[in-house]
Amino acid sequence: MKKASIFLAVLMAFAVLLAGCGAGGSSTASGEKEKIVIGYFPNINHVPAMVAKDKGYFEQQLGDGTTIEYKTFAEGGSFMTALKTGEIDAGLVGPGPAMNNYSTGADVKIIAGASTGGTVVLARKGVKIDSVEDFAGKTFITPGVGCTHDVQYETYLEAEGITSQRIGGTMKHLTGQPAQYAAMLKAGKVDIAVAPEPWAAVIEKETGAEVVIGWNEVSFGETLPASVMVTSGKMIEEQPETVQKIIDAHKDAVKFINENPAEAQAITINDIKETTGQELEKDVVELAWERIGFTHEVDAQAIQDFSDSSYTLKFLKDKPDFKTLIDDSFLKN
């Protein structure tokens, strides 16, 4: 009888263990839901994350056993810190921060593209820019030092010998949240705004600023991914099935955007309002939408060319080689 009781106890314990490892592998042994945190920025380059959030695509792919949380960022440096510390598991960021951190040994992998275009350079009303030479000595603002938009702008001007004070030139560089650019331009604090959409369209409408370098004229404007989906190599190694489901949800979002632009724009307006407190007008979003494209594909050569320029501009200390930065295997499944 005693042996039978022991056997029954072991059998029950085994059953509990199996229950804790239930279908989908999303629950912990204690029955708690696994949590996946997705990061993104409140701009139009990051609409795939907003749409996936609104439509519940990550929840659909990862199943009921997983809780999805979202965290927004104003610039790439804080996003990459969150990825390195495990505060987020995956998300959308510009290729610049991803490459810069990878080059210094950070555990980051680009696993998909998200958008292209969307970087616009505007001059404050009253600031005369008739030629490239007129940028010399001006004060410009970007979301961060060495961010994707910063590198695109400085690459464009470096060909004409115009650089920032950071590397011995005359342009003064400030950084700040794009949602604040319009106010800074109106106050005369900056001459040039290098803005991601939709903030470029907001600036253009609210301040009368003039587009002086278009999204398709700025360096890498038509080829470089404006935002990419990233995760860590550790995540890929330890949870490849979860990464695959994240990619599948991301692809669902990109497909929805391209097939339903009007609804995707409405989702964007609502999400940005919730995040920044600023409600964008429909015509502003429509203008911004014309300057951007959405795709889950990622152009490896464009990223390498962009990174070579980052090195030339001294954002990177060593000449980069990003052969192992990109892992597109999940896109092929």
Side-chain angles (χ1 to χ4, degrees), residues 262-284:
E263 187 175 351
Q265 289 171 23
I267 291 170
T268 301
I269 292 171
N270 291 335
D271 194 280
I272 290 177
K273 181 181 179 181
E274 289 179 3
T275 303
T276 68
Q278 183 169 354
E279 184 170 5
L280 301 176
E281 296 182 14
K282 188 173 183 292
D283 61 340
V284 167

Side-chain angles (χ1 to χ4, degrees), residues 21-27 34 36 38 48 52-53 56-66 68 70 89-91 111-112 229-231 235-236 239-254 296 329-333:
C21 301
S26 298
S27 296
E34 179 184 10
I36 296 295
I38 303 294
K53 176 182 175 182
Y57 288 142
F58 290 115
E59 288 84 351
Q60 292 171 24
Q61 289 289 346
L62 289 161
D64 294 336
T66 303
I68 308 297
Y70 300 88
D89 299 292
I111 52 177
M229 173 69 76
V230 300
T231 188
M235 184 85 171
I236 290 173
Q239 301 184 63
E241 292 183 2
T242 297
V243 174
Q244 183 64 63
K245 290 174 182 178
I246 288 172
I247 287 295
D248 292 341
H250 176 62
K251 290 168 73 173
D252 289 341
V254 171
H296 59 259
S329 61
F330 298 98
L331 291 175
K332 299 174 182 178
N333 296 332

Side-chain angles (χ1 to χ4, degrees), residues 32-110:
E32 295 178 355
K33 288 187 176 183
E34 179 184 10
K35 182 173 73 172
I36 296 295
V37 183
I38 303 294
Y40 69 97
F41 299 10
N43 65 49
I44 288 188
N45 293 126
H46 294 237
V47 170
M50 301 180 200
V51 167
K53 176 182 175 182
D54 182 83
K55 294 297 179 182
Y57 288 142
F58 290 115
E59 288 84 351
Q60 292 171 24
Q61 289 289 346
L62 289 161
D64 294 336
T66 303
T67 297
I68 308 297
E69 291 186 6
Y70 300 88
K71 185 173 179 61
T72 57
F73 298 86
E75 49 80 36
S78 56
F79 176 99
M80 289 306 306
T81 297
L83 182 68
K84 289 184 285 188
T85 60
E87 185 180 345
I88 61 174
D89 299 292
L92 300 185
V93 69
M99 290 186 289
N100 292 346
N101 279 265
Y102 177 84
S103 69
T104 57
D107 179 19
V108 56
K109 295 285 186 180
I110 294 175

Side-chain angles (χ1 to χ4, degrees), residues 4-21 29:
S5 298
I6 294 173
F7 176 77
L8 181 59
V10 171
L11 186 62
M12 290 178 66
F14 185 64
V16 170
L17 179 61
L18 286 178
C21 301

Side-chain angles (χ1 to χ4, degrees), residues 71 79 126 159 164 180 189 197 234 250 310 324:
K71 185 173 179 61
F79 176 99
S164 70
Q180 301 171 342
K189 294 182 179 179
E197 292 292 5
K234 179 181 179 182
H250 176 62
S310 295
T324 60

